[in-house]
Amino acid sequence: MEGLSKAEVDRLEAKALGPGPLRPRDAGTLMLLDRSGDDVRVLMGRRHMRHAFMPGKFVFPGGRTDPADSRVAVASGLHPHEEAKLTAGSGRTSLARARAIALSAVRETFEEAGLLIGERGPFVAGRAEWQAFADHDVRPALAGLRMIARAITPPGRVRRFDTRFLAAWREDVAVELPGGGPTDELEELVWLPIADAKQADAPEITRTVLGELEKRLAADPALSPGGPTPCYRMVRKTFVRDML
């Protein structure tokens, strides 16, 4: 699907899915954390009101996975423990797909918030979506990413996602563009203490995952690789919380 627009990918996926129940699409979202003050703060943005999906809600940067992202060169790959978490659970997730999920979260964080996660150094984009990294001499890096949770949208929804919630520290950002990202999907970007973020007008799963992040940080402030990672999904009309 390299070179296809999101609309073209949507059409192809809709054709492949057919009239039956929607299969959840892989997605990656990034909880960027700032530990420079007394409280750990997390970056969130309000979705534009004209969006059909969750208008006006506070969310983390992120979006649907682009399989072509798996072929983007990186300065550092995923930690093996995090790679194992990304490939674990229901369904088949290949190593290439896991890499694409992580890189999609990094790319969406630039597009929506203007933050380039990686290391300083020459980078050849290869695709227009990654050109800003080349323009600012930033090589995308994945070694600092930690998987906090996974959540699968229940059947029957208009849109379904199999979302991996990843976390990274603000010091993993090589460049912060003052004007934000090139898209208008998020507005009112804010850094909130986690306790305040849990009170924001956000989707229920977002607040749930913030609670998981809070517990994880209390037990392991450094967010070491391979920490406990829950998966939220629906089984026989009942929500379950499994551990990956």
Side-chain angles (χ1 to χ4, degrees):
M1 293 186 182
E2 185 171 6
L4 296 180
S5 68
K6 286 186 177 181
E8 290 169 329
V9 171
D10 282 342
R11 286 194 293 271
L12 286 173
E13 288 184 344
K15 183 177 179 181
L17 289 170
L22 290 176
R23 183 173 64 247
R25 299 170 175 173
D26 283 326
T29 191
L30 189 65
M31 296 181 284
L32 199 58
L33 307 176
D34 184 345
R35 52 185 166 186
S36 60
D38 295 335
D39 297 316
V40 175
R41 298 183 300 159
V42 60
L43 180 67
M44 300 188 77
R46 188 191 296 273
R47 284 183 60 81
H48 205 286
M49 287 301 298
R50 70 168 173 261
H51 287 303
F53 184 62
M54 295 192 299
K57 296 292 185 180
F58 276 98
V59 296
F60 312 117
R64 188 175 69 249
T65 296
D66 184 342
D69 283 338
S70 68
R71 296 188 285 276
V72 173
V74 296
S76 61
L78 290 161
H79 189 283
H81 292 334
E82 300 306 314
E83 195 173 64
K85 295 286 185 181
L86 277 163
T87 56
S90 59
R92 291 186 176 182
T93 304
S94 66
L95 293 178
R97 190 70 173 182
R99 192 169 183 269
I101 292 167
L103 277 163
S104 294
V106 169
R107 175 178 48 74
E108 292 278 353
T109 299
F110 154 67
E111 292 178 355
E112 297 179 356
L115 304 174
L116 284 72
I117 294 172
E119 300 177 9
R120 285 291 195 169
F123 173 69
V124 178
R127 298 174 57 223
E129 292 86 347
W130 290 91
Q131 186 57 44
F133 283 77
D135 294 341
H136 293 277
D137 291 323
V138 176
R139 301 167 64 203
L142 303 180
L145 270 57
R146 302 288 179 260
M147 187 169 168
I148 304 300
R150 178 180 179 181
I152 303 173
T153 309
R157 302 293 176 86
V158 175
R159 296 185 182 184
R160 298 189 67 205
F161 295 99
D162 185 347
T163 304
R164 280 69 161 193
F165 291 84
L166 306 170
W169 297 106
R170 192 171 186 174
E171 50 260 43
D172 294 322
V173 176
V175 171
E176 297 189 24
L177 301 182
T183 72
D184 63 350
E185 289 190 36
L186 296 184
E187 55 185 5
E188 196 181 339
L189 287 164
V190 289
W191 291 91
L192 296 173
I194 294 175
D196 293 347
K198 289 166 61 180
Q199 303 302 316
D201 183 12
E204 183 63 32
I205 188 60
T206 299
R207 292 195 295 268
T208 299
V209 173
L210 281 166
E212 297 286 358
L213 173 65
E214 194 172 41
K215 289 188 292 185
R216 178 92 169 261
L217 286 168
D220 177 19
L223 286 182
S224 303
T229 308
C231 175
Y232 290 89
R233 60 195 178 97
M234 182 169 281
V235 178
R236 301 184 188 90
K237 298 184 179 181
T238 302
F239 273 110
V240 298
R241 177 184 181 273
D242 297 325
M243 300 303 294
L244 297 176

